[in-house]
């Protein structure tokens, strides 16, 4: 599995923790930055990462800003992206199972490191259930194609 990860300054510290966590699991990680806590603009990280995931270069993406909100708004502008802002374990696996979400967004100023790791783990271990959920996602994709 190959995962793209990115953050702004407010998500930088959590990004580094999650990157380490993924690498320890033997997962290949592509880091889209940022690389310090110097102030930056989240769309500059969300959009290139989301485009890369939409092209199929990575299996999934993880985006972290202060709240995760800006990252999710920006990433969801990219065709084919279903970015989910998650703060709890139930939503983490549901986002994969029901929504076939391909980007996980988290808030570096919202979540503790251990909860963020549990969320990441729940996301990684879940898979899309298809069926009625697929029909719903197809309706979103059809709208996107208009
Ligand atoms: C940066 O201060 C903050 O606005 C950003 O990280 C994010 O939370 C936006 O949604």
């Amino acid at each position: 599995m190959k995962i793209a990860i990115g953050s702004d300054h407010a998500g930088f510290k959590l990004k580094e923790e999650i990157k380490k966590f993924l690498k320890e699991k033997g997962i290949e990680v592509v880091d889209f930055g940022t690389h310090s806590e110097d102030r930056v603009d989240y769309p500059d990280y969300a959009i290139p990462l989301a485009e890369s995931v939409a092209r199929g270069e990575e299996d999934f993406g993880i985006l972290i800003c202060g709240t995760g909100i800006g990252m999710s708004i920006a990433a969801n502008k990219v065709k084919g992206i279903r970015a989910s802002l998650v703060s709890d374990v139930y939503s983490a696996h549901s986002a994969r199972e029901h929504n076939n979400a391909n980007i996980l967004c988290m808030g570096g100023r919202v979540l503790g490191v251990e909860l963020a790791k549990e969320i990441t783990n729940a996301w990684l271990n879940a898979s899309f259930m298809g069926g009625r959920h697929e029909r719903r996602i197809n309706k979103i994709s059809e709208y996107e194609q208009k």
Side-chain angles (χ1 to χ4, degrees), residues 16-144:
E16 293 304 298
E17 294 285 349
I18 298 298
K19 195 167 80 178
K20 199 167 75 190
F21 179 67
L22 294 170
K23 284 183 173 172
E24 279 166 8
K25 287 176 170 293
I27 293 171
E28 188 183 346
V29 181
V30 183
D31 190 346
F32 279 73
T34 186
H35 301 291
S36 77
E37 287 187 278
D38 293 346
R39 199 167 289 151
V40 292
D41 299 333
Y42 57 81
D44 294 337
Y45 299 87
I47 293 170
L49 182 148
E51 286 180 337
S52 183
V53 171
R55 284 194 300 269
E57 287 176 31
E58 296 84 18
D59 298 294
F60 299 112
I62 297 179
L63 284 167
I64 306 170
C65 62
T67 57
I69 296 171
M71 286 298 197
S72 58
I73 292 172
N76 275 317
K77 297 291 179 195
V78 175
K79 239 183 213 182
I81 291 302
R82 291 175 299 277
S84 55
L85 172 55
V86 172
S87 314
D88 65 275
V89 171
Y90 177 77
S91 302
H93 63 79
S94 297
R96 292 281 314 117
E97 290 163 355
H98 290 207
N99 311 110
N100 201 11
N102 46 14
I103 293 187
L104 167 64
C105 299
M106 295 187 283
R109 292 175 176 162
V110 178
L111 301 174
V113 174
E114 293 310 314
L115 177 55
K117 285 182 190 171
E118 282 190 32
I119 286 171
T120 305
N121 220 19
W123 167 282
L124 292 174
N125 292 330
S127 20
F128 184 47
M129 289 164 66
R132 66 186 187 279
H133 301 296
E134 182 140 42
R135 184 182 69 238
R136 293 161 185 164
I137 283 165
N138 287 344
K139 290 187 178 185
I140 300 170
S141 305
E142 280 161 24
Y143 176 77
E144 211 173 39

